[in-house]
């Protein structure tokens, strides 16, 4: 309610400001009597070069003459006039800019005691030619390299068109997904996902669900930070993937919409619009999705006991349905050319249901069939997330000096009901045993995150960054178990689990450039406070408070104009999540139980990396070596009981090491043809001797991706992309290879305002996941297959209404290109 009132206040103030901006003389006043002592003003008018129409709401920046030091700024009113006052006496340069026009500069205008109002006069803005030339000849590079990150421009990835963020990330080097949509970076699944530099607003949703809710059409860039600096949360031992969405504050009214239809009942669409007048911008986004997906699961399990052995084979088929809606609305108020405040609310309700049927068979030690089984599992899930965001940004007059303050409060509720039934039959078809249970799980959570960041330039190229962040989350999980068979009725598995976590962080970074060197060093100090209660447990309370330092650093050396060498380091953490700490047992089926581990410790990683980067007119090339050492590795662990039941839990292993080589390249032999290729080869060594004397595993794994794009004379664009991942190792098993090929076509229509796309994912239907697990007394094989060969047909349309005042005989022009996020 408080945030709603605040957003209303922002709207009301901006409305008053808009009215004021429409008065003659400009938004900053125009009377000599308004000037403070010993100051002056600059006055002028922006007009269109073609038709002499006034250009409203153009940016006006005032610089100290002959320098890049900004003194002040403003915007033109609806008559195209500006009046910037309270300027110290001196000489100034004036730069007027507006999207759709080239910047125009007026130089060396002096104000003093005798001439307190400097007459800039008419500032004539040229339209079209220069901007169009840039758009045609200066196409954005697909890959750019920063001091501590790689940035991939994904706007031309048509094999993700009509999809979501997961489809986009499948095209990013060294990013892989398993059949359940779980993401890994360089073989590590503990990866931090950010949206525009911040955790996703969909706090309650899992990472997979978050990626499903972001339309591919709204994504501009993807940043990969394998050794992020101290400004970022240290969570995510594999690094950070930062999804940069397109901006939404173009002047006037603007709309972008996308509709997609997929094979086997898959539909999604989104609409993104904004309306900007003067200093006030409102924006609204909606994304809806309905999909039906099948899954196949094959398992083979052989257990050996002292005097016998048996094998259980199960074939399982499930159909899941998911419906989701994401609604976001907000407002951005430009207090001045240097400052803005943005508030938004995001609401995400979703439902998911799944029906699964399985057929099993039991085989004795000599290979004879002894029994069969039929399983049926039904589940329904309802989830609702609500997020409030408020952000303030201020850019000081000194170049590079910035202050940002942000806050987010999120709530989430989730209810899941699941029924599991398993019937056992002898060879005569007689149902001799039954196992079943019902589970009702209610979870509510809340999360508060506040952060302040400040950047202070030192000298010409050096700067100091510092900030403070606090996050607090509360999770309340109520788990009710009802056994339906005679054995399960005796299980006392109902429980309530309450989890509270606070993290207080303070960081500092110093960076500089000197000659051919650029470097950045920082440190982050964090105090974590964790308290949890498992209400029905024998020892219900446990806590874990710890203080840690997370240093980081990056250095680059410019070997030549086309080559650079980089080196970086960071220390990061993977904190145990609430589900992995909850000690109460959850029943999967009659032979598979799962529980958390309240004694689980955070895992810490030290990551080192060296890269060599080469640029050319035809493309880019980078090769990198990396080494990661992880202590107290958090890993799933299976324990076989004497009665044949397998208990799955989480344990800390002694350590893990990864040594790797990553190669990324782009090549464009002509304007119509371009290629992108990458490979990641690494060796993994896992040491779990703290649990079992022989619990070690090691091996090599390689993954790679190659894609090619060709544009025909009709402007039709074709993209073919292939992916491969070799066999690899886990703590207690080995993974089998995976490969897939995607193909897509895109055709511009409606004079470039619309696009029709056709794409087929996994055209050969080879994207599945297989693992072999070999441990004492238990050999297992699993194959998981999620529906992946899907045909999508999509249409997108963009309406951009430029907004400036119509002059005599003129027409509306203008527009903006940065501001509120999609």
């Amino acid at each position: 309610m408080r945030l709603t009132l605040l957003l209303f206040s922002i709207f009301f103030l901006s409305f008053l400001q808009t009215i004021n901006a429409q008065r003659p003389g400009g938004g900053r006043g125009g009377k000599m009597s308004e000037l403070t002592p010993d100051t002056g003003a600059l006055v002028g008018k922006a007009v269109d070069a073609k038709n002499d129409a006034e250009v409203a709401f153009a940016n006006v920046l005032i610089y100290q003459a002959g320098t890049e030091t900004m003194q002040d700024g403003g915007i033109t009113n609806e008559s195209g006039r500006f009046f910037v006052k309270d300027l110290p006496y001196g000489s100034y340069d004036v730069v007027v800019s507006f999207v759709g026009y080239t910047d125009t500069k007026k130089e060396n205008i002096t104000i003093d005691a005798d001439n307190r109002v400097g007459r800039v006069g008419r500032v004539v803005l040229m339209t079209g030619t220069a901007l169009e030339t840039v758009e045609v000849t200066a196409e954005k590079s697909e890959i750019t390299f920063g001091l501590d990150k790689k940035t991939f421009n994904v706007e031309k990835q048509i094999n993700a068109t009509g999809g979501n963020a997961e489809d986009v990330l499948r095209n990013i080097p060294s990013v892989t997904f398993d059949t359940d949509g779980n993401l890994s970076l360089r073989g590590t699944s503990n990866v931090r996902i950010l949206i525009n530099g911040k955790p996703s607003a969909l706090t309650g949703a899992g990472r997979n669900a978050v990626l499903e809710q972001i339309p591919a059409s709204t994504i501009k860039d993807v940043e990969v930070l394998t050794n992020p600096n101290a400004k970022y949360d240290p969570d995510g031992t594999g690094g950070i993937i930062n999804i940069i969405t397109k901006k939404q504050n173009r002047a006037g009214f603007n709309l972008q919409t996308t509709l997609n239809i997929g094979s086997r009942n898959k539909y999604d669409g989104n609409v993104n619009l904004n309306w900007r007048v003067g200093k006030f911008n409102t924006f609204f986004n909606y994304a809806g999705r309905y999909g039906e997906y099948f899954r196949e699961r094959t398992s083979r399990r052989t257990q050996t006991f002292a005097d016998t052995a048996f094998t259980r084979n199960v074939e399982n088929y499930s159909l899941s349905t998911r419906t989701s809606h994401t609604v976001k609305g907000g407002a951005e108020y430009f207090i001045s050319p240097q400052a803005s405040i943005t508030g938004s609310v995001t609401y995400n309700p979703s439902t998911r249901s799944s029906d699964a049927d399985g057929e099993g068979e039991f085989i004795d030690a000599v290979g004879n069939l002894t029994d069969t089984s039929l399983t049926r599992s039904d589940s329904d899930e309802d989830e609702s997330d609500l997020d409030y965001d408020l952000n303030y940004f201020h850019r000081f007059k000194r170049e590079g000096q910035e202050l940002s303050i942000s806050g987010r409060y999120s709530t989430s509720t989730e209810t899941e009901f699941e029924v599991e039934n398993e019937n056992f039959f002898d060879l005569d078809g007689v149902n001799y045993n039954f196992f079943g249970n019902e589970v009702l799980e209610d979870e509510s959570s809340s999360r508060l995150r506040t952060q302040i960041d400040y950047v202070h330039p030192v000298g010409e190229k050096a700067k100091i960054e510092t900030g403070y962040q606090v996050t607090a989350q509360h999770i309340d999980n109520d788990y009710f178990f009802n056994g339906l068979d005679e054995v399960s009725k005796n299980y006392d598995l109902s429980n309530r689990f309450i989890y509270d976590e606070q993290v207080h962080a303070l960081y500092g970074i110093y960076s500089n450039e000197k000659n051919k060197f650029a470097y950045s060093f920082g440190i982050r100090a964090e105090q974590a406070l964790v308290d949890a209660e498992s209400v029905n447990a024998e020892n219900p309370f446990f806590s874990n408070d710890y203080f840690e330092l997370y240093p980081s650093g990056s250095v680059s050396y410019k070997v030549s104009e086309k080559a650079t060498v980089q080196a970086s380091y960071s220390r990061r953490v993977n904190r145990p999540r609430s589900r992995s700490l909850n000690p109460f047992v959850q029943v999967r089926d009659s032979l598979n139980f799962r529980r958390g581990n309240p004694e689980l410790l955070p895992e810490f990683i030290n990551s080192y990396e060296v890269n060599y980067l080469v640029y050319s007119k035809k493309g880019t090339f980078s090769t990198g070596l990396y080494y990661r050492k992880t202590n107290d590795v958090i890993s799933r662990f299976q324990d076989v009981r004497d009665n044949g039941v397998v208990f799955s839990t989480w344990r800390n292993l002694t350590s893990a090491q990864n040594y790797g080589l990553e190669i990324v390249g782009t090549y464009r032999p002509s304007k119509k043809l371009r290629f992108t290729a990458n490979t990641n080869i690494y060796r993994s060594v896992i040491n779990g001797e703290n649990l079992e004397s022989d619990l070690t595993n090691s091996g090599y794994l390689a993954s790679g991706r190659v894609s090619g794009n060709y544009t025909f004379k009709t402007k039709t664009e074709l993209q073919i992309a292939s992916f491969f991942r070799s066999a690899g190792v886990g703590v207690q098993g080995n993974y089998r290879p995976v490969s897939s090929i995607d193909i897509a076509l895109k055709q511009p229509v409606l004079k470039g305002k619309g696009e029709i796309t056709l794409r087929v994912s996994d055209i050969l239907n080879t994207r599945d996941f297989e693992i072999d697990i070999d441990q004492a007394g238990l050999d297992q094989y699993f194959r998981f297959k999620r529906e992946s060969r899907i045909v999508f047909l999509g249409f997108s349309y963009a309406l951009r209404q430029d907004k400036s005042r119509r002059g005599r005989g003129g027409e509306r022009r203008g527009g903006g290109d940065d501001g509120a996020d999609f």
Side-chain angles (χ1 to χ4, degrees):
M1 177 62 71
R2 293 180 179 176
L3 184 59
T4 303
L5 291 174
L6 179 57
L7 291 175
F8 177 79
S9 300
I10 295 172
F11 180 92
F12 182 70
L13 289 174
S14 62
F15 174 74
L16 294 178
Q17 177 64 34
T18 302
I19 294 176
N20 183 59
Q22 293 174 350
R23 297 173 182 170
R28 300 199 54 168
K31 299 179 181 179
M32 285 286 292
S33 60
E34 295 180 357
L35 297 179
T36 57
D38 299 322
T39 66
L42 294 175
V43 62
K45 181 178 181 180
V47 298
D48 189 304
K50 289 185 177 180
N51 50 38
D52 207 37
E54 301 94 338
V55 180
F57 312 122
N59 292 318
V60 181
L61 300 180
I62 312 298
Y63 294 89
Q64 296 178 12
T67 73
E68 295 183 358
T69 302
M70 190 171 69
Q71 182 68 38
D72 205 337
I75 62 172
T76 61
N77 66 5
E78 283 202 345
S79 299
R81 299 181 183 277
F82 61 88
F83 186 90
V84 183
K85 63 177 184 175
D86 297 336
L87 297 171
Y89 295 151
S91 297
Y92 297 98
D93 297 337
V94 179
V95 177
V96 180
S97 62
F98 204 45
V99 170
Y101 299 85
T102 58
D103 295 356
T104 301
K105 185 176 184 180
K106 295 277 190 173
E107 297 181 336
N108 203 28
I109 302 168
T110 301
I111 54 177
D112 52 33
D114 297 326
N115 182 29
R116 297 185 66 188
V117 178
R119 307 291 177 178
V120 180
R122 290 162 53 86
V123 181
V124 180
L125 300 180
M126 304 291 294
T127 63
T129 304
L131 182 63
E132 289 169 3
T133 300
V134 171
E135 290 180 341
V136 172
T137 63
E139 188 173 282
K140 185 172 180 178
S141 174
E142 291 184 52
I143 305 176
T144 56
F145 302 96
L147 184 59
D148 59 356
K149 64 186 176 184
K150 298 182 182 74
T151 302
F152 301 89
N153 179 254
V154 298
E155 293 176 289
K156 293 186 176 296
Q157 285 186 1
I158 61 174
N159 65 344
T161 303
N164 54 43
E166 179 181 327
D167 299 301
V168 172
L169 294 182
R170 286 185 182 275
N171 293 280
I172 302 301
S174 299
V175 174
T176 58
F177 287 84
D178 65 20
T179 189
D180 290 321
N182 298 310
L183 177 150
S184 295
L185 177 62
R186 290 179 174 175
T188 301
S189 59
N190 183 235
V191 181
R192 181 82 161 169
I193 300 293
L194 302 180
I195 312 298
N196 299 310
K198 300 176 182 178
S200 167
L202 306 179
T203 304
R207 186 172 65 184
N208 298 3
V210 170
L211 296 178
E212 289 178 358
Q213 299 308 308
I214 305 175
S217 60
T218 66
I219 301 175
K220 179 182 179 183
D221 296 313
V222 174
E223 296 177 346
V224 177
L225 301 88
T226 48
N227 278 327
N229 64 38
K231 179 179 178 179
Y232 295 95
D233 291 349
D235 298 78
T237 53
I240 290 174
I241 293 177
N242 185 25
I243 298 173
I244 306 297
T245 59
K246 298 173 183 177
K247 303 299 179 179
Q248 190 184 5
N249 80 335
R250 187 178 294 268
F253 177 79
N254 305 278
L255 177 145
Q256 178 180 337
T257 184
T258 302
L259 297 173
N260 300 286
I261 299 175
S263 55
R264 294 177 58 88
N265 297 324
K266 298 169 184 63
Y267 311 93
D268 69 83
N270 63 83
V271 59
N272 305 282
L273 57 88
N274 80 288
W275 181 49
R276 179 176 177 180
V277 178
K279 293 186 176 184
F280 188 66
N281 177 49
T282 57
F283 51 91
F284 173 83
N285 318 130
Y286 169 78
R289 177 179 293 269
Y290 173 85
E292 298 176 4
Y293 296 86
F294 71 79
R295 293 171 183 258
E296 298 173 355
R297 182 178 184 269
T298 301
S299 66
R300 183 179 65 250
R301 170 175 171 171
T302 300
Q303 289 186 250
T304 304
F305 302 94
D307 56 352
T308 186
F310 78 89
T311 297
R312 183 191 190 193
N313 299 323
V314 177
E315 294 286 342
N316 185 278
Y317 179 90
S318 66
L319 179 65
S320 62
T321 302
R322 179 178 175 86
T323 304
S324 65
H325 307 272
T326 302
V327 182
K328 179 178 180 179
E332 183 175 17
Y333 178 62
F334 300 91
I335 302 170
S336 71
Q338 294 81 31
S340 66
I341 185 170
T342 306
S344 64
V345 179
T346 304
Y347 177 55
N348 173 231
S350 63
T351 61
R352 185 194 298 266
S353 64
S354 177
D355 301 319
D357 291 289
E359 297 181 359
E361 57 181 20
F362 293 84
I363 301 174
D364 63 19
V366 295
N368 296 319
L369 178 66
T370 61
D371 307 89
T372 62
S373 66
L374 293 176
T375 60
R376 173 73 180 184
S377 177
D378 300 306
S379 66
D380 293 286
E381 178 182 340
D382 293 300
E383 183 173 344
S384 178
D385 304 312
L386 188 60
D387 303 273
Y388 305 89
D389 283 272
L390 190 62
N391 302 279
Y392 171 78
F393 178 78
H394 183 85
R395 180 182 291 109
F396 295 87
K397 294 180 181 179
R398 183 175 182 180
E399 186 72 22
Q401 186 180 5
E402 299 175 352
L403 172 69
S404 63
I405 304 173
S406 62
R408 169 177 291 164
Y409 178 69
S410 308
T411 62
S412 176
T413 58
E414 179 181 353
T415 300
E416 182 176 5
F417 181 70
E418 184 174 6
V419 180
E420 178 91 21
N421 294 307
E422 186 173 13
N423 289 280
F424 299 89
F425 303 88
D426 61 21
L427 295 183
D428 294 325
V430 177
N431 184 186
Y432 68 87
N433 198 4
F434 166 73
F435 174 86
N437 62 78
E438 297 175 336
V439 172
L440 176 64
E441 188 172 6
D442 284 315
E443 181 173 290
S444 62
S445 64
S446 61
R447 181 183 178 94
L448 175 67
R449 174 189 173 97
T450 59
Q451 182 169 342
I452 180 170
D453 301 289
Y454 176 70
V455 182
H456 188 83
V458 180
E460 293 185 3
K461 296 183 178 181
K463 63 180 179 180
I464 295 174
E465 300 176 63
T466 187
Y468 173 75
Q469 175 187 300
V470 59
T471 59
Q473 66 171 322
H474 172 80
I475 300 174
D476 190 338
N477 180 279
D478 199 352
Y479 182 86
F480 174 77
F481 177 89
N482 180 35
L484 301 178
D485 61 274
E486 294 302 321
V487 176
S488 298
K489 286 180 180 180
N490 297 319
Y491 292 161
D492 184 16
L493 301 181
S494 297
N495 183 44
R496 183 183 178 194
F497 184 71
I498 302 171
Y499 179 85
D500 289 285
E501 178 187 87
Q502 291 186 40
V503 179
H504 299 262
L506 182 67
Y507 74 88
I509 304 171
Y510 177 77
S511 55
N512 196 4
E513 296 181 28
K514 190 173 183 180
N515 298 325
K516 295 184 177 182
F517 284 94
Y519 54 88
S520 175
F521 299 99
I523 190 165
R524 186 182 182 97
E526 285 197 350
Q527 175 66 55
L529 308 170
V530 178
D531 291 291
E533 177 185 3
S534 185
V535 176
N536 295 333
E538 183 177 350
N539 298 306
F541 299 99
F542 56 93
S543 61
N544 185 19
D545 301 342
Y546 52 96
F547 175 83
E548 294 289 342
L549 296 176
Y550 302 96
S552 60
S554 301
V555 179
S556 69
Y557 176 74
K558 197 172 185 178
V559 180
S560 66
E561 290 298 322
K562 297 182 178 180
T564 302
V565 177
Q566 295 178 337
S568 61
Y569 162 79
S570 68
R571 183 174 188 257
R572 301 186 61 75
V573 64
N574 176 22
R575 310 179 205 273
R577 301 309 179 205
S578 60
R579 286 185 179 271
S580 60
L581 294 171
N582 188 349
F584 255 69
V585 175
Q586 293 183 337
V587 178
R588 306 297 298 274
D589 58 43
S590 60
L591 294 176
N592 291 280
F593 288 26
R594 181 179 65 187
R595 65 177 299 174
N597 177 9
E599 298 180 355
L600 203 61
L601 300 174
E603 67 176 25
F604 296 94
I605 185 171
N606 290 283
S607 174
Y608 307 83
E609 187 170 344
V610 177
N611 291 283
Y612 179 67
L613 319 172
V614 179
Y615 306 84
S616 71
K617 293 181 179 180
K618 294 288 187 178
T620 58
F621 175 82
S622 76
T623 180
L625 297 172
Y626 61 89
Y627 169 72
R628 298 193 304 239
K629 173 68 180 294
T630 308
N631 296 314
D632 294 323
V633 179
I634 296 176
S635 176
R636 287 183 179 269
F637 186 82
Q638 291 187 334
D639 180 29
V640 184
R641 304 297 171 88
D642 292 338
N643 60 359
V645 173
V646 175
F647 262 83
S648 298
T649 186
W650 286 264
R651 301 289 295 272
N652 287 111
L653 309 182
T654 301
S655 65
Q657 299 180 70
N658 285 342
Y659 313 78
L661 168 67
E662 182 184 64
I663 301 174
V664 181
T666 64
Y667 178 60
R668 188 159 193 165
S670 67
K671 291 183 178 180
K672 294 183 178 181
L673 182 63
R674 67 179 188 274
F675 296 98
T676 302
N678 69 85
T679 185
N680 177 44
I681 306 170
Y682 67 92
R683 175 173 171 78
S684 180
V685 180
I686 302 171
N687 179 5
E689 292 182 339
N690 61 313
L691 302 181
E692 297 178 5
S693 60
D694 60 347
L695 186 57
T696 61
N697 207 349
S698 63
Y700 290 92
L701 186 144
S703 64
R705 182 177 285 106
V706 178
S707 65
N709 289 59
Y710 184 80
T711 303
F712 298 90
K713 291 182 179 181
T714 58
K715 295 185 179 180
T716 303
E717 187 173 358
L718 168 68
Q719 183 178 54
I720 300 175
S722 63
F723 166 77
F724 171 78
R725 192 193 68 193
S726 72
V729 300
V731 178
Q732 294 177 298
N734 297 284
Y735 304 101
R736 298 191 182 185
V738 181
S739 64
S740 64
I741 297 176
D742 302 332
I743 187 169
L745 286 166
K746 180 177 70 174
Q747 177 63 53
V749 295
L750 302 177
K751 298 181 179 180
K753 293 183 178 181
E755 291 179 344
I756 296 175
T757 57
L758 176 66
R759 67 184 181 98
V760 184
S761 62
D762 192 18
I763 193 169
L764 300 180
N765 202 29
T766 55
R767 189 185 296 162
D768 55 11
F769 178 82
E770 296 177 276
I771 182 173
D772 297 287
I773 300 176
D774 184 8
Q775 59 190 106
L778 178 65
D779 292 328
Q780 298 181 90
Y781 162 79
F782 295 97
R783 174 185 176 269
F784 304 95
K785 172 67 176 175
R786 181 173 67 165
E787 183 178 3
S788 56
R789 182 164 60 186
I790 306 172
V791 180
F792 291 96
L793 179 64
F795 172 74
S796 62
Y797 179 77
L799 173 65
R800 294 175 176 175
Q801 176 188 349
D802 294 337
K803 178 80 174 177
S804 66
R805 183 174 178 83
R806 183 187 298 270
R808 297 177 181 176
E811 58 185 24
R812 292 184 180 272
R813 298 186 181 275
D817 200 27
D818 50 22
D821 302 320
F822 270 97

